[in-house]
Amino acid sequence: MTLSEQLAQYIADVRFDDIPQDVVQFTKLCIVDYYSSLLKGQEAEPVRMMEQVAQLIGGEQQATAVTGLKTSITNAAFINGGASHVIELDDIHKASIVHAATVIMPAAIAIAEWKNLSGKQLIEAIIVGYEVAFRVGETVTPSHYYYFHNTATCGTFGAAAAVAKLLDLSKEQIVQAFGSAGTQAAGLWEFIEDGAMSKQLHPGKAAMNGILSALLAQQGFTGATAILEGRRGFFEAMSDEYDVTRMTEKLGQQYKITENAFKVHASCRHTHAAMDLALELHKKVEKSGIDFIKSVEVGAYQVALDITDAKNPQTIYAAKFSMQFCVALALSGEGGFDAFNADTLQDPTIRKLMEKLTVSVDENINSQYPQEWGAKIQIHWQDGSSDVVQSRFPKGDPENALTDQDFINKFNSLVPLEEAHKEKIIHDLLHLETIQVQQLIRTLHPVEHISIV
Amino acid sequence: MTLSEQLAQYIADVRFDDIPQDVVQFTKLCIVDYYSSLLKGQEAEPVRMMEQVAQLIGGEQQATAVTGLKTSITNAAFINGGASHVIELDDIHKASIVHAATVIMPAAIAIAEWKNLSGKQLIEAIIVGYEVAFRVGETVTPSHYYYFHNTATCGTFGAAAAVAKLLDLSKEQIVQAFGSAGTQAAGLWEFIEDGAMSKQLHPGKAAMNGILSALLAQQGFTGATAILEGRRGFFEAMSDEYDVTRMTEKLGQQYKITENAFKVHASCRHTHAAMDLALELHKKVEKSGIDFIKSVEVGAYQVALDITDAKNPQTIYAAKFSMQFCVALALSGEGGFDAFNADTLQDPTIRKLMEKLTVSVDENINSQYPQEWGAKIQIHWQDGSSDVVQSRFPKGDPENALTDQDFINKFNSLVPLEEAHKEKIIHDLLHLETIQVQQLIRTLHPVEHISIV
């Protein structure tokens, strides 16, 4: 059997009733996290541009973009893929370096809305999509990642898998869908040199291409049966080294979605363990006043400091990549998306805190990287006493999991909607296995957008 | 300046009035050749499936698919990209290994129809699209070609260029369009192991992606400014070796579209020089009768025989890759698309001819490959006499150019429409610089497809 055939067999076998309750619960929280990013991202400039293009080409009113636009499943996935990635707070899987939500959820939710499927079916499909995307990503990481944006390339396979599950494709059709998905997989890192909007285009297009692949397969359209491992397939063409065992090891015996990690701070992931600790110290700082702080020592792993040792950031974006700024911000009690703004950027209190701060590599922490992305903070007070706090995993890693309430807090802090509206959305999401996806969509977009034809 | 910036400058500078008359004439013949393949390809199974998917997602009625469907520009390009490649008789550029028509024309014609542009503007855009696709392809050939289908990957840049020209994008926007095009460029050869339909998906998607790239750029959507030569760009990521000088050498001083080659026989290109010669010998064979043939020696270059030395093909597809079958077919006077069929496959006369045939490498011919794809045929008659014919370039190569009438004959032999209708289409195409593209579309599709909303 080719890898695609083994994946197809796995996908066909997944049944909601077999999925452990904690995995279902975790998947619902992944969806909550997706909507936190999506609903916050809808106003961003690249998303508006993607919506303009989608409106221009038009489409059947099958699914709902976050902007409220009723459009084709492919257009909705395109827009929502861009919108859920743009604030850079969406989920991340360390071993595959895949942001799965931003590709798989837009594709799966569009199909579930269109076909009036149940929340159970959506949960099944998302679990399947994550499994495939993570496995493809783990197989080709790290060599593929140097050139290619795994979220886009590996995500295309995941989106195709999720849509194939929702459309109840046969095993043969799923294999063909993977063939079409792999031969459309694209997304180069070159855009990062310009900070260009391709970052949003990638998940949008990957979600769209995943849908197209499954729709084509449903019509009987054929693709390569060994698109992953074949001589001229995805692995050989697009990575220098790859470990094919990652594709099938314990396939069907585990739920890789549970390895997913989440961001609670709106900054570079390498600052997060230290920010967790600084927030923990905030109460003491507030009580004593910052003048009582003599100095703050931040210990981290080498890679973190390679990227984030920046004493004097001058833009909001740069501030998110400054360990000094992020820790000072967190010591003053903040860390969320809105906390990185023009005011905090120049806030004299934060700047004063930054001056008291030194960063250095902590050898113990460094020796555990990359399995652990740890940090240590020692705060020295004016009276000669000090406090030390340490962490091995940033909050949101599986080993330092968010609570259900953490997800809800993140949602509430990010989503620009009325409280009552947010409560209804959270309620639907946390009871997703009991409702149809169209009900969730109606809750999200209570005013029907009537198109006058 | 980055390569994208140099290309953008070139594209902005091209003006119809500066283009030599013979290049305009040649471009019109390229378009005739495109329609030969497109109109014949519309009934093919993969094309019908692609149309089904396009219909399912829907779109504004902006452009016309070959099937008559009025749909969005992206959908029309998608369908027409598939349809114009499926009979494997579309144009080919040897140095870049790019089939340009099947990607650039569907994209450009859809935009020209939508925006009610002139034939002159379309000709300009097609010239620009070919120039870009050929140059990108030459730069990365041969290493890229091992894994990637140049027509799809390099074609995406060409389609973006053509559409950018038609939409009159600024130079800055064209650079951004290339950024989005390059980061969507995809298409793996793995499908060939299964003979899968990805061959049609590739040009359709490349045409669609070229359009999306230009539309996004028009909205201000940004991409990598050095997507071609950048450290994590297209060349580095997707080829082992590349010659960047091919991108800009004599850019703006030549018209690479004139290097385009065409197929008149519906078989592997490596059989074509020999088929030309066999067709030349056909009259003598017909006059003498095949029993008067004692033996036929076919000389070719090594690569041709590596691929086409097949004494006993059992399928129509295999027959197109059998030098023996193709030469015997041509000796009996045939070579076109319909000549490869179930009857000729088992025709006793052709099989008898094949038995008299030997193929071998001719060292003189072989030494000139790949600059020349030559052939030699020596026919020995029962009376001891013999005839020898030799060719350095298959008909349709620039060095053995088709006449205008050859293009018209190919069109007439392939296109399944009434004679009067074909005459009108040819008339429009040969006078394209005097009409609007919408007139051509009305000629192609005289009955309006009214959609009841």
Side-chain angles (χ1 to χ4, degrees):
Chain A
M1 287 213 288
T2 68
L3 292 174
S4 294
E5 286 163 348
Q6 292 175 71
L7 291 177
Q9 180 67 56
Y10 152 75
I11 292 169
D13 287 346
V14 170
R15 289 280 168 274
F16 183 86
D17 292 339
D18 300 333
I19 302 168
Q21 189 48 42
D22 61 330
V23 177
V24 170
Q25 177 66 15
F26 187 83
T27 303
K28 289 189 290 182
L29 295 170
C30 290
I31 304 174
V32 171
D33 194 68
Y34 164 70
Y35 275 106
S36 304
S37 283
L38 179 73
L39 292 164
K40 180 71 178 177
Q42 66 169 297
E43 297 284 341
E45 214 183 356
V47 179
R48 285 286 165 196
M49 294 172 186
M50 290 168 76
E51 190 197 29
Q52 288 292 320
V53 170
Q55 276 192 296
L56 190 152
I57 61 174
E60 296 293 327
Q61 297 190 13
Q62 297 162 332
T64 313
V66 63
T67 53
L69 180 71
K70 275 269 183 198
T71 183
S72 65
I73 41 180
T74 43
N75 279 343
F78 180 65
I79 297 165
N80 292 345
S84 53
H85 201 43
V86 70
I87 68 162
E88 302 275 350
L89 270 169
D90 50 322
D91 61 10
I92 173 72
H93 180 239
K94 250 190 309 194
S96 65
I97 327 184
V98 165
H99 298 276
T102 186
V103 177
I104 290 160
M105 303 237 183
I109 295 170
I111 300 296
E113 177 184 359
W114 173 46
K115 291 288 183 189
N116 192 19
L117 302 180
S118 68
K120 283 185 185 177
Q121 289 171 292
L122 178 61
I123 289 167
E124 253 183 20
I126 286 170
I127 286 171
V128 155
Y130 273 63
E131 189 78 23
V132 169
F134 286 178
R135 286 180 179 274
V136 175
E138 283 188 38
T139 301
V140 295
T141 295
S143 70
H144 175 76
Y145 185 73
Y146 181 76
Y147 293 114
F148 295 98
H149 189 188
N150 287 13
T151 297
T153 52
C154 310
T156 309
F157 290 95
V163 176
K165 183 70 179 168
L166 289 167
L167 294 178
D168 199 21
L169 297 190
S170 72
K171 276 183 281 179
E172 289 69 27
Q173 289 172 326
I174 297 173
V175 171
Q176 307 297 357
F178 282 133
S180 290
T183 210
Q184 293 182 76
L188 295 168
W189 273 114
E190 181 58 27
F191 75 87
I192 205 85
E193 301 289 327
D194 304 273
M197 298 175 183
S198 311
K199 192 87 197 289
Q200 286 75 58
L201 177 63
H202 289 172
K205 270 306 295 298
M208 177 192 272
N209 289 340
I211 291 176
L212 285 175
S213 301
L215 292 179
L216 285 165
Q218 196 175 37
Q219 297 293 332
F221 197 91
T222 60
T225 53
I227 190 67
L228 287 161
E229 74 276 31
R231 192 163 59 91
R232 297 164 111 182
F234 180 75
F235 296 155
E236 283 286 332
M238 293 167 76
S239 60
D240 290 334
E241 291 180 347
Y242 55 92
D243 176 5
V244 81
T245 65
R246 309 300 281 270
M247 286 305 304
T248 49
E249 198 177 44
K250 296 191 184 167
L251 180 65
Q253 298 161 42
Q254 57 175 200
Y255 295 90
K256 288 188 82 72
I257 193 171
T258 60
E259 300 171 5
N260 205 22
F262 307 90
K263 289 167 91 169
V264 283
H265 315 306
S267 56
C268 174
R269 187 67 173 171
H270 293 302
T271 68
H272 284 199
M275 286 183 81
D276 294 339
L277 299 173
L279 283 166
E280 201 179 315
L281 292 166
H282 160 64
K283 280 212 176 131
K284 274 203 172 169
V285 171
E286 202 178 28
K287 203 171 148 193
S288 322
I290 71 155
D291 290 337
F292 193 59
I293 298 175
K294 194 173 165 197
S295 66
V296 181
E297 294 174 54
V298 179
Y301 46 95
Q302 183 67 55
V303 169
L305 297 189
D306 288 348
I307 297 175
T308 67
D309 182 4
K311 290 196 183 81
N312 189 18
Q314 290 303 313
T315 66
I316 294 168
Y317 189 78
K320 295 180 177 187
F321 286 82
S322 162
M323 180 70 87
Q324 288 87 339
F325 183 90
C326 290
V327 170
L329 184 72
L331 283 172
S332 71
E334 301 282 354
F337 186 80
D338 294 329
F340 290 87
N341 59 46
D343 290 337
T344 55
L345 183 63
Q346 301 304 341
D347 184 327
T349 310
I350 289 171
R351 291 284 163 174
K352 203 166 157 191
L353 267 169
M354 287 170 73
E355 279 166 27
K356 298 184 185 210
L357 223 141
T358 54
V359 303
S360 63
V361 172
D362 180 298
E363 285 310 329
N364 282 333
I365 291 169
N366 195 46
S367 67
Q368 299 305 313
Y369 180 85
Q371 284 70 36
E372 303 181 5
W373 295 27
K376 179 178 170 181
I377 297 185
Q378 181 154 23
I379 191 161
H380 299 275
W381 307 100
Q382 297 290 5
D383 65 1
S385 70
S386 73
D387 286 293
V388 182
V389 282
Q390 185 154 358
S391 152
R392 291 164 59 200
F393 301 98
K395 200 169 168 183
D397 265 18
E399 301 85 351
N400 185 6
L402 300 189
T403 64
D404 295 12
Q405 191 58 46
D406 287 332
F407 283 98
I408 294 168
N409 291 348
K410 179 177 172 184
F411 180 92
N412 284 329
S413 76
L414 284 172
V415 174
L417 295 173
E418 306 266 327
E419 292 307 315
H421 192 183
K422 288 196 276 196
E423 262 174 46
K424 281 186 197 159
I425 296 168
I426 287 287
H427 183 271
D428 274 9
L429 290 174
L430 295 183
H431 297 82
L432 189 58
E433 74 275 36
T434 66
I435 62 172
Q436 295 297 104
V437 173
Q438 286 187 355
Q439 178 182 323
L440 168 64
I441 303 299
R442 281 193 301 272
T443 303
L444 282 157
H445 303 279
V447 181
E448 284 288 316
H449 288 257
I450 310 290
S451 288
I452 314 295
V453 182
Chain B
M1 286 212 288
T2 68
L3 292 175
S4 294
E5 286 163 348
Q6 292 174 70
L7 290 178
Q9 180 67 57
Y10 152 76
I11 292 168
D13 287 346
V14 169
R15 291 278 168 275
F16 183 86
D17 292 339
D18 300 335
I19 302 168
Q21 190 47 45
D22 61 330
V23 177
V24 170
Q25 177 65 16
F26 187 83
T27 304
K28 290 190 290 182
L29 294 170
C30 290
I31 304 174
V32 170
D33 195 68
Y34 164 71
Y35 275 106
S36 304
S37 284
L38 179 73
L39 293 164
K40 180 70 178 178
Q42 66 169 296
E43 297 284 342
E45 214 183 357
V47 179
R48 285 287 165 195
M49 294 173 185
M50 290 168 76
E51 190 197 29
Q52 288 292 320
V53 170
Q55 276 193 295
L56 190 152
I57 62 174
E60 296 292 326
Q61 296 191 12
Q62 296 162 332
T64 313
V66 63
T67 53
L69 180 71
K70 276 269 182 197
T71 183
S72 66
I73 41 181
T74 42
N75 279 344
F78 180 65
I79 297 166
N80 291 345
S84 53
H85 200 43
V86 69
I87 67 162
E88 301 276 348
L89 270 169
D90 50 322
D91 62 10
I92 174 72
H93 180 239
K94 250 189 310 194
S96 65
I97 327 184
V98 165
H99 298 276
T102 187
V103 177
I104 291 159
M105 303 236 184
I109 295 170
I111 300 296
E113 177 184 359
W114 173 44
K115 291 287 183 190
N116 191 18
L117 302 179
S118 68
K120 284 184 184 176
Q121 289 170 291
L122 178 61
I123 290 168
E124 252 182 20
I126 286 170
I127 286 171
V128 155
Y130 273 63
E131 190 78 24
V132 169
F134 286 178
R135 285 180 179 274
V136 175
E138 284 187 39
T139 301
V140 295
T141 295
S143 70
H144 176 76
Y145 185 73
Y146 180 76
Y147 292 114
F148 295 98
H149 189 187
N150 287 13
T151 297
T153 54
C154 310
T156 309
F157 290 94
V163 176
K165 183 70 178 169
L166 289 167
L167 295 178
D168 200 21
L169 297 191
S170 72
K171 277 182 282 180
E172 290 69 26
Q173 289 172 326
I174 297 173
V175 171
Q176 307 298 357
F178 281 134
S180 290
T183 210
Q184 294 181 75
L188 295 167
W189 273 114
E190 181 58 27
F191 76 86
I192 206 86
E193 301 290 327
D194 305 272
M197 297 175 183
S198 312
K199 192 88 197 288
Q200 286 76 57
L201 177 63
H202 289 172
K205 269 307 293 298
M208 176 192 271
N209 289 340
I211 292 176
L212 285 175
S213 302
L215 292 178
L216 285 165
Q218 196 175 35
Q219 298 293 332
F221 198 90
T222 60
T225 54
I227 190 67
L228 287 161
E229 75 276 32
R231 192 164 59 91
R232 296 164 111 181
F234 180 75
F235 296 155
E236 284 286 332
M238 293 165 77
S239 60
D240 290 333
E241 290 180 346
Y242 55 92
D243 176 5
V244 81
T245 65
R246 308 301 281 270
M247 286 305 304
T248 50
E249 198 177 43
K250 295 191 184 168
L251 180 65
Q253 297 160 45
Q254 57 175 200
Y255 295 90
K256 288 188 82 72
I257 193 172
T258 59
E259 299 171 6
N260 205 22
F262 307 90
K263 288 167 93 171
V264 283
H265 314 305
S267 56
C268 174
R269 187 67 173 173
H270 293 302
T271 68
H272 284 199
M275 286 183 80
D276 294 338
L277 300 173
L279 283 166
E280 201 179 315
L281 290 166
H282 159 64
K283 280 212 177 131
K284 275 205 173 168
V285 171
E286 200 177 29
K287 203 170 146 194
S288 321
I290 69 154
D291 289 338
F292 193 58
I293 299 176
K294 195 172 163 199
S295 65
V296 181
E297 293 173 55
V298 180
Y301 46 95
Q302 183 67 55
V303 168
L305 296 191
D306 288 349
I307 297 175
T308 67
D309 182 4
K311 289 196 184 84
N312 189 20
Q314 290 303 314
T315 67
I316 294 168
Y317 190 77
K320 294 180 177 187
F321 286 83
S322 161
M323 179 70 86
Q324 287 87 339
F325 183 90
C326 290
V327 170
L329 184 72
L331 283 172
S332 71
E334 301 281 355
F337 186 79
D338 294 329
F340 290 86
N341 59 46
D343 290 338
T344 56
L345 183 63
Q346 301 304 341
D347 184 328
T349 309
I350 290 171
R351 290 282 163 174
K352 203 166 158 190
L353 268 168
M354 287 170 73
E355 279 165 26
K356 298 185 185 209
L357 224 142
T358 55
V359 303
S360 62
V361 173
D362 180 299
E363 285 310 330
N364 283 332
I365 291 169
N366 195 46
S367 67
Q368 299 306 313
Y369 180 83
Q371 285 70 36
E372 302 181 7
W373 294 28
K376 179 176 169 182
I377 297 185
Q378 182 155 23
I379 190 161
H380 299 276
W381 308 101
Q382 297 290 5
D383 66 359
S385 68
S386 74
D387 285 293
V388 183
V389 283
Q390 185 154 358
S391 153
R392 291 163 59 201
F393 302 98
K395 200 169 167 184
D397 265 17
E399 301 85 350
N400 185 6
L402 299 190
T403 64
D404 295 11
Q405 192 57 48
D406 287 331
F407 283 97
I408 294 168
N409 291 348
K410 179 177 172 184
F411 181 91
N412 284 329
S413 76
L414 283 173
V415 175
L417 295 173
E418 307 265 327
E419 290 308 316
H421 192 183
K422 289 197 273 196
E423 262 174 45
K424 281 185 196 159
I425 297 169
I426 287 287
H427 183 272
D428 274 9
L429 291 173
L430 295 182
H431 296 82
L432 189 59
E433 74 276 36
T434 67
I435 63 172
Q436 294 296 104
V437 172
Q438 286 188 355
Q439 178 182 322
L440 168 65
I441 303 299
R442 282 192 300 271
T443 302
L444 282 157
H445 303 279
V447 180
E448 284 288 316
H449 288 256
I450 310 290
S451 289
I452 313 296
V453 182

